Amino acid sequence: MPARMKLTDIDLIKALRSPEYSDLLSIFQERAFQKKQIISFPNHEENLVMLVENGRVRVFLSYEDKEFTLSILEKGDIFSMHTRAFTQALDNDTVLWVAETKKFGEMITRYPQFSLIMIKVLGDLLKNSITIINGLVFQEAHTRLAEFLMNAAKDKGCQVDEGIQLELGLNVEDISTILGTTRQTVSFLLNDFYRSGILLKVNRRTLIIKDMDMLKKMLDKE
């Protein structure tokens, strides 16, 4: 998945809790969801904007028996429930603040600095959509996994002695859903990367990229 854009340092959650924006906070209502619970369906009847207060939310498309992840929303990200995509809680105790789209639009008009956060999420969705189309049409599963790991390294990688450590917070099933392939395929490929020395497994949700050049070579061969 492509690295997330960072257009602003505004912490929307923190800002809305400050006295300066108390009137804006009042338009939101809190809703809680558990892991894997569907939050909204395509063209959801409620025309609401959601703000992630805690946990993560997956935005995805579904066609027949396939699912294609467009983005993983994190704390402070904004999205609409009234789109052609599904949204799903990825963590237990996922908490959202929701507001009517009309009222939220009035808020953006009054405080345009918040619109940068919307641009960040929309840009993320566009990049991920292009990556999904390119991957499904032109790339094999091992290449999609290599690209996913490289982009994750750019986004949240941390340099350690052995290489670049990734706290993905995703299990094999999550990764397979993002890549549009099976859990078995991702498990096989990860084990192959471990055996070949490209990756080092720290725990179920953390790994270290030991050979970034080899991942790059996989993409160059395509």
Side-chain angles (χ1 to χ4, degrees):
M1 179 174 292
R4 300 173 67 81
M5 296 190 303
K6 187 174 180 62
L7 298 182
T8 175
D9 292 325
I10 296 173
D11 184 335
L12 186 53
I13 300 294
K14 183 178 180 180
L16 288 175
R17 283 176 169 155
S18 67
E20 181 181 359
Y21 301 113
S22 60
D23 58 326
L24 301 181
L25 181 59
S26 65
I27 73 171
F28 289 93
Q29 295 180 337
E30 185 174 290
R31 294 185 183 180
F33 300 87
Q34 297 305 307
K35 185 175 182 179
K36 294 190 176 181
Q37 184 177 352
I38 296 296
I39 297 169
S40 64
F41 295 86
N43 298 316
H44 192 70
E45 60 181 17
E46 294 182 288
N47 192 1
L48 301 174
V49 169
M50 69 170 75
L51 171 61
V52 183
E53 196 277 332
N54 186 64
R56 297 169 302 156
V57 173
R58 181 168 75 105
V59 180
F60 69 98
L61 301 175
S62 180
Y63 178 73
E64 294 182 348
D65 61 341
K66 294 184 181 296
E67 295 181 357
F68 308 100
T69 299
L70 299 180
S71 185
I72 304 296
L73 306 179
E74 299 177 347
K75 184 174 181 178
D77 283 340
I78 306 171
F79 194 67
S80 171
M81 290 186 177
H82 198 66
T83 70
R84 295 182 180 180
F86 293 83
T87 57
Q88 179 186 42
L90 283 184
D91 302 301
N92 285 321
D93 300 320
T94 294
V95 177
L96 305 179
W97 291 351
V98 300
E100 294 180 11
T101 300
K102 182 179 179 180
K103 291 182 178 179
F104 182 78
E106 293 171 354
M107 181 185 83
I108 292 297
T109 301
R110 291 170 57 192
Y111 301 94
Q113 62 268 35
F114 291 157
S115 65
L116 291 176
I117 298 172
M118 284 293 292
I119 294 173
K120 174 177 73 70
V121 173
L122 292 172
D124 189 38
L125 289 167
L126 177 59
K127 288 197 298 181
N128 290 347
S129 299
I130 294 172
T131 298
I132 288 170
I133 294 169
N134 179 69
L136 292 175
V137 175
F138 299 111
Q139 295 179 339
E140 298 293 337
H142 73 281
T143 310
R144 300 204 298 273
L145 178 58
E147 183 177 36
F148 167 78
L149 292 171
M150 288 177 60
N151 286 319
K154 294 176 184 177
D155 180 22
K156 57 180 65 177
C158 178
Q159 189 69 49
V160 295
D161 291 340
E162 297 93 338
I164 300 176
Q165 182 166 307
L166 294 178
E167 301 279 352
L168 289 174
L170 302 170
N171 56 30
V172 173
E173 184 178 357
D174 295 331
I175 296 173
S176 66
T177 300
I178 291 172
L179 298 182
T181 188
T182 66
R183 183 184 184 281
Q184 292 78 7
T185 297
V186 172
S187 180
F188 173 83
L189 291 173
L190 284 174
N191 286 328
D192 185 53
F193 286 6
Y194 293 139
R195 286 193 298 268
S196 61
I198 298 174
L199 302 178
L200 174 65
K201 185 176 182 178
V202 178
N203 56 48
R204 290 179 64 247
R205 295 173 183 267
T206 305
L207 54 82
I208 294 174
I209 300 177
K210 298 181 64 179
D211 193 341
M212 182 65 79
D213 289 339
M214 184 58 69
L215 293 179
K216 293 178 181 177
K217 288 179 181 178
M218 291 182 187
L219 296 182
D220 291 340
K221 290 179 181 179
E222 289 295 318

